[in-house]
Amino acid sequence: MEDLTCNSHRFKRIHHQSRACNLELYPLLNENLEQWPHLNELVHCYKADWIKDESKYGHYGSVLPLSFQNQIYEGLDTDIETEMRLASARDSKIDDDTDDDAPSTSGRLISETGPYSPSSKTTIVHFGESPLPAYEPTFDWETERSLVFGHRIPEPLPSQSYSGLKISMKVLSLSFLAGLTEPFYGTICLYNRERREKLSEDFYFHVIPTEMQEASISTESRGIFSLDSPSTSVCLLIQLEKPATEEGGITSSVYSRKEPVNLTEKEKQKLQVWSRIMPYRESFAWAVVPLFENHNATVGGGATSPSSALTPGSSSQDGILESVGKIPSEGRTGKCSARNSVIVEISNMNKVKESYTEDSLQDPKGKIHKPVKGVLRLEVEKFRATCNADSDNFSENGSGINDQNDAGEQCGESCSKYHSYGSNYRNESLKLTTVDRTEERRSNQPTFAESGLDNSSDDVMMSRSEPFSQLIHCLYLYPLTVSLSRKRNLFIRVEMRKDDADIRKQPLEAMYSHNPGSGLQKWANTQVAVGARMASYHDEIKIALPALLTSQHHLLFSFFHVDLQTKLEAPKPVVIGYAVLPLSTHAQLQSDISIPIMRELVPHYLQDTGKERLDYLDDGKTLFRLRLRFCSTLFPVNERIRDFFLEYDRHILRTSPPWGSELLEAINSLKNVEPGALLQFLQPVLNMLLHLIGDGGETLQVAAFRAMVNILTRVQQESSDGAERNRFLVNYVDYTFDDFGGRQAPVYPGLSTVWGSLARSKAKGYRVGPVYDDVLTMAWFFLELIVKSMALEQNHLYDHSVPLGEDVPPLLLKDGVFRCIVQLFDCLLTEVHERCKKGLSLAKRLNSSLAFFCFDLLSVAEPRLVFELVSMYMDKFAGLCLSVLHECKLTFLQIICDHDLFVEMPGKDPSDRNYLASLLIQEIFLTWDHDDLSQRAKAARILVFLICKHEFDLRYQKSEDKLYIAQLYFPLIGQILDEMPVFYNLNAVEKREVLIAFMQIIRNLDDASLVKAWQQGVARTRLFFKLLEECLVLFEHRREGEILLMSSSSRSPDIEGPISPKYTDILSPAVNTYLSDASRQELGAQGTPENGYMWHRVSPQLSSPSQPYSLREALAQAQSSRIGASTRALRESLHPILKQKLEMWEENLSTSVSLLVLELTDKFSNAAASHGIATDYGKLDCATSILTSIFSRSQSLYFWKAFFPVFNNVFNLHGATLMARENDRFLKQVAFHLLRLAVFRNDSIRRRAVIGLQILLRNSFYYFMHTTRLRVMLTITLSELMSEVQVTRMTSDGSLEETGEAQCLRKSLGEMADEDMSADLLRYCGLPVNVLEAIHKDTTDNCWSWSEVKYVSNSLLQALDAGLEHAFLAPVMTVDRYAAAESFYLLAVSYASVPDLHIVWLLNLCDLHQEMQSWAEAAQCAVAVAGVIMQALVGRNDAVWTTDHVAALQKICPMVSNEVTAETSAAEVEGYGASKLTVDSAVKYLQLANKLFAQADLYHFCASISELTIPVYKCRRSYGQLAKCHTSLTNIYESILEQESSPIPFIDATYYRVGFYGEGFGKLDREEYVYREPRDVRLGDIMEKLSHIYESRMDGNHTLHIIPDSRQVNPGELQPDVCYLQITAVDPVMEDEDLGSRRERIFSLSTGGVRARVFDRFLFDTPFTKNGKSQGGLEDQWKRRTVLQTEGSFPALVNRLLVTKSESREFAPVENAIGMIETRTAALRNELEEPRSSEGDQLPRLQSLQRILQGSVAVQVNSGVLSVCTAFLSGEPATRLRSQELQQLIAALLEFMAVCKRAIRVHFRLIGEDDQDFHTQLVNGFQSLTAELSHYIPAILSEL
């Protein structure tokens, strides 16, 4: 193959090699054919090189695609260990195939290098790879083009179009049991046993004897047999010959004896000498071997049956090629299939005792046959001849080519061991051994036709219904039998003579030789029929014929007898007769012929006059029977074709009348030729008709054109294989048509003229007959013919005038010709338009033909001329036309825009840019606004296809090329931005198609073009970034692990629908094509590199036994189980390997899209910094919206690595704007997502989130000098994050534990404030270490403060811990209300900096207390809420309240802070802050507190609260409210007065100390709390309540026990598996109370008034004795007083407070006694000294006094004082008292008695008549007590 010209590679010349290898083997054709133009044309057709237009079907060279990497996402399997494993897998250099081996899915191979375009060196540095390769991972130009309606498919070369079976045969060895000492010759052919005919030529081989038992093959040729279809009757017929046996010598029976025969050396030498001098051969043996055995057919014959090559007892009845067929023979498109061979050992050879006939082959059991004890070894290969390889890799030869490679390689195989004769041959006549030829073909294995001899019979080729493509002109001669009167050793010599004038003249060289490489011979000899009366022959003689057969051409047969005795010289044959066969008479006969034999030759023996002098054997009987087969592509059998050829010759030679009526009749008669015969001579007939169209008159042109249309239509209809373009016609246009090689004028003017006139006649309404529809049907053929004719003329014109390396200029069409083409195009266009409306399919095909016509013309003519045709088309189909018309328009554009030079096309006007591109953009956008949904999808697909084609094109890999292409398509983006509703009206798939093209265009634009696009206006810039947001939405790849963090997130409001499935539809529709192709592929052995499935990620599912291993099985199973109804279900059912591939594509696509958006955001940020674009500089909403959208999407680690440097850059450039209050919402969302990333368990992402938080802190320091507002914002977002992230999980034992997310968040918040690791963290994230410096330009001071960052961190950690504690208590929240209240309280405290959150948790706590009827605590919550609001109002300088009012409120609720700072104003974040806190809300909660305190009977608090509402009403002059308020105060004060005047002291609550001891309590272990309970709760009640709470929380390893007393507990002495509760009643301690007093503390005897009941200290007394007993006599009874200090005061926001301090003091027995007496004395004196304001108060005083006196001096209680005297003033105890203690005791007793005496006197004054008896009892008791005491204290009488 070579180029037609040196300047242009458009046309390629393909050598048209005939089956005779070269036409020099046809010397008989080198005659003068000028007198026979049709013969000249025929020979030219077969001899001329094919001319192939290389540009017709387009060329496309794609770059090597990316090797996709696994993207690491946050998920259940992406912890640090998994990340390391994936990273190591990536480094293992395992190839990552994104495509299967099937070329139908993709024409691109995987590159091991990272860069997408290795050859291009660009200055543009992108953040990531282009999204396009991942979106179109299976992009294949050929596959995409094949989806176009009317797509043209190139056909293979005509010689390669044979789609049958090819069988390769090579003889390896021949061996005999008796040894091999003489040469053997053989033939192999295909034979049909049923039809008794040969199917192929003979393949010749011979074996040269050696000294070894086996012999090497002396010829290395390989035979190739062609077969249309397999059949059980097809077999191999193998015939062996040997030198004719010497008379009296060693006979051939030695090879067939049952016992081995050992020849002596002398006998061997004799055989060898004889074989050298004997040139003639005799038939020796034959064998029939089936190729395709019928499994059910059995033919008798046993082990030696030639019809069955396998043992009868064998379980397998396969033929040879059945065994070969077990090896897959499907090949790749474009390559021949792999050749797999078997070694066939044939041992069923039959010896020929006498001559055998064809009947012998059908009856192998005849007695004349004996088995030969030998083995013939063949190598047999089978392959389908479905090669579409380029022609320069293919040649099909008619003669053998020595296969040196095979010969050298197979030599060793031919010398294999020869076993001793035995059962090996008796039981198995054919042994098959598979040969692995993989290495052979890897080294240098040629295609099959180059490795051997094609032995396809010519007459078989002649019988096929396909055009003759090769010159065949020969005769096969088969001598059959010669009947003789006596036995002779007879052979026949065959020769061809031109005439019979001179018998001594040498014959013609016309006989083919049996030896490969030899030329034609003068004669050929047959075998010798030894000693036969009926001689049978099995020779095949192939004879070359002259182009013109005359009546004198004949075959001459000479019959020779040869003596086979050894003499001094070689045996000389003796002629015994002759036979003659005239060729002109008998050549075309297909039956057997019998002719007589002459004794002698005489001159002119062919003439009738000479026959009288001839002497015949046996009286002229036909003794010689033979068979002829005539094969010729020069002589048509059909008479009408011959007539046409004859009339054509007469017309060309001008020997016919000028009107040419006979020629017209011959042309018209072609319509009646049988299609098969017409098809065989299709090429020359078409050439002749085109010749007539080109230079004939108008009448002749029309007739030839109509005949041509008829022929083409019939060929299309009757030999169609279902394709729109018949392959024979395609081959004619693409290869054989050469426009007469420039020997005459081009065809296209005449063809255009005659077709155009017919079309115009039709347009004018004339009747043109049904032929016009046929013209339209075959329009593609004529249009392609016209273009090729133009192109050939262009090539001839500029063949030698164009300098080397320059393109051939376009063809300048003559005005008349172009005008004719325009008119023709217009007529055809009208037909398309009209027929489309009728819905005729012909219109669509014609539309595609017109498109391809323009497509082809663009490569030939001036493009602007073609643009006129395109413009004419677009005018005809202008606007939003009918759907079917619009579809035609899209198809038209799709075809012409696929031109190789589409990018380089000029504009319609010289000043314009690419006309086709602008037209395409306009129509695509118009289609998106079309109602037809399918048209929208098609338009989007066209756009993506073209973008992919440009991006992967090897020619356009330079940055300037990519920029030019991007600028070509950039106007489309402008149209989208102008008409955004059109884009939003598309469905998701179409949007993805549009957006992937949008991103590719934007990616290749330079910065200047982008800035220019952003200068069009603020609204347009916003729309641009809206498209970028759509990209993020539609190409998001979400992993399962992110569902918890992303799905329910309020930060992702624009997520469509529910959670997206595992596999989304983000990949292009072309991936569906990949899936359908993959369903037809078998997955190879998994884990092997050859199958292309060695993936970076190792999937645990690959070994799953439940998954079918075969992809075909998987899809079949999916469909059978009815889960394959949708693409999504189909994907879910795929093999894990394919699932993994899809996921990898989607991951890479999503990452590349996000990186491109990030890159554009960075460019936008830089451009906005210089104020060079149109955007809202007040808020930078474009940047903030896109950053928010980026954060809210699931992103890979690779993206986050690139993100944070950009994030830092954006804040460095625009920090003032982004940190301003106008961007609070953006900042809050950024803070939320940074905290969300800080939750990730992937350490690489989590660390970068920490850096992001630090960047925010740095900007806060830089612009505000503090972090107060940012801290508030982080606290708010942390609260929101805690509600969306699972922070606890259930353990195996049923308990809750902290999740990994919570641990990661805690770790991140700690690292945020870690100064030591900050530098390393910045370097790890690729940022400079000075990123966090907040230094203003004019100063050197760094505003960054690590202490403040630490404070922020601690605040957030406190909120995190509070949230965790709350989560841990969730299961017991309803049972343990105390812990629940504490949990709410901790949350309220941790969110104290955010008023809204603080109030929310306080109100939750208030509700909980109200459910528990803890009114005082609920009221405190309401007071705290009111305090927060009042703080905010005071901070805003509200005129209603002042700091004094806040301080007053703090006395009620100490939690109310007295610090009014910037916290409240800093909390002014969108959705949060003090702006929501009003005076009315404060009053509301004050009133709620008032109500709750009243329910708790704490009226003194109510008074203080009511007084705080008065300033509000005064300020507003709400006098009605003031009246109500004062009325309420009156009621409150009356209630207080009532409590104070009550004889029973008021108790608002009871208090209990609870100690916890035991590991089962967790954090409560060894802690003490004071519980505040309602006043009616007794000790037993709280014991029961706490037991119920904590028994339910005990596990099986712990039990609960209550310590019954209040003694001190030593935890070390307690049992480890028991949890202890110690519950003790305690009394609150007043502020001025002397806790060191030894007096008894009897609260009920207190005479103090009701004061503000705020308690933070409590005490309890514990009696004990030194001997270990808790109780004893007065002289032994000690007392321990314990004082507890709590964390805060009661009433508090919780029901229990932690004891922070505990102090104890012990009192001795005598001190206890003195204290008891002093206590009674103080109570009595207090009653006597209490002032009374009126007489009305005397009654309560009398009652109180009577109660005290009765308990002090009544007779029945005197034992109390007397017992003290008895215990300490008498006997032994008195001696132990110190004098000071004795004096104190006596003084106390004397004082007690004196006060009692005074009280009795007062009692006398107060009593009436009714109490006289009671008073008498008191006096008697006092006197009796005095008398008793005088025994111990004599001085008492004088004192009283």
Side-chain angles (χ1 to χ4, degrees), residues 1410 1415 1419 1485-1497 1502 1505:
Q1410 291 184 65
W1415 309 116
Y1485 290 114
L1486 286 174
Q1487 291 173 344
L1488 175 62
N1490 203 345
K1491 172 186 171 185
L1492 293 172
F1493 274 132
Q1495 284 184 281
D1497 295 334
C1502 295
I1505 289 173

Side-chain angles (χ1 to χ4, degrees), residues 1250 1254 1308-1316 1346 1349-1351 1353:
V1250 173
Q1254 289 180 335
S1308 299
L1309 294 176
E1311 289 178 357
M1312 182 179 71
D1314 192 336
E1315 183 177 2
D1316 297 332
W1346 279 109
V1349 175
K1350 185 71 174 175
Y1351 177 66
S1353 173

Side-chain angles (χ1 to χ4, degrees), residues 1 12 14 52 54 157 160 334 388-394:
M1 185 183 300
K12 187 168 287 187
I14 304 172
K52 180 183 179 185
E54 289 290 275
L157 290 176
Q160 291 175 260
N388 292 337
D390 206 352
S391 56
D392 50 5
N393 292 329
F394 187 94

Side-chain angles (χ1 to χ4, degrees), residues 1623-1640:
I1623 307 175
T1624 308
V1626 295
D1627 294 327
V1629 178
M1630 298 297 179
E1631 294 180 5
D1632 56 350
E1633 188 171 350
D1634 181 13
L1635 297 179
S1637 172
R1638 59 194 172 191
R1639 297 178 182 178
E1640 285 187 358

Side-chain angles (χ1 to χ4, degrees), residues 1677-1690:
Q1677 189 69 56
W1678 288 66
K1679 180 176 68 174
R1680 180 183 298 109
R1681 174 165 293 172
T1682 305
V1683 180
L1684 307 175
Q1685 179 75 42
T1686 58
E1687 186 181 40
S1689 58
F1690 287 110

Side-chain angles (χ1 to χ4, degrees), residues 1127-1145:
T1127 303
R1128 181 172 300 168
L1130 180 64
R1131 292 183 180 186
E1132 290 297 333
S1133 68
L1134 289 179
H1135 192 279
I1137 288 178
L1138 199 55
K1139 279 187 182 180
Q1140 191 176 34
K1141 177 183 290 188
L1142 286 172
E1143 185 172 346
M1144 183 180 295
W1145 285 342

Side-chain angles (χ1 to χ4, degrees), residues 1477-1595:
L1477 309 180
T1478 62
V1479 174
D1480 290 336
S1481 59
V1483 171
K1484 177 178 123 180
Y1485 290 114
L1486 286 174
Q1487 291 173 344
L1488 175 62
N1490 203 345
K1491 172 186 171 185
L1492 293 172
F1493 274 132
Q1495 284 184 281
D1497 295 334
L1498 297 176
Y1499 296 108
H1500 51 288
F1501 288 141
C1502 295
S1504 302
I1505 289 173
S1506 296
E1507 290 172 358
L1508 290 174
T1509 60
I1510 292 176
V1512 178
Y1513 301 138
K1514 283 184 177 180
C1515 181
R1516 297 178 177 178
R1517 297 181 181 180
S1518 299
Y1519 301 116
Q1521 292 295 335
L1522 277 172
K1524 288 182 182 180
C1525 188
H1526 284 90
T1527 302
S1528 174
L1529 275 174
T1530 302
N1531 295 332
I1532 288 171
Y1533 286 127
E1534 288 177 351
S1535 299
I1536 293 175
L1537 185 61
E1538 182 181 350
Q1539 285 181 350
E1540 290 186 347
S1541 62
S1542 172
I1544 302 175
F1546 172 72
I1547 300 175
D1548 63 315
T1550 56
Y1551 298 90
Y1552 298 95
R1553 165 198 167 272
V1554 180
F1556 297 87
Y1557 307 97
E1559 295 178 356
F1561 290 119
K1563 294 180 180 180
L1564 297 179
D1565 185 22
R1566 304 192 184 187
E1567 298 286 356
E1568 295 181 10
Y1569 285 85
V1570 172
Y1571 283 67
R1572 183 181 188 277
E1573 293 293 325
R1575 53 177 173 261
D1576 57 347
V1577 174
R1578 298 293 175 251
L1579 184 62
D1581 298 334
I1582 191 170
M1583 282 186 176
E1584 181 180 355
K1585 184 188 295 185
L1586 293 181
S1587 298
H1588 173 68
I1589 291 174
Y1590 291 105
E1591 280 178 353
S1592 64
R1593 296 171 64 175
M1594 292 294 109
D1595 53 20

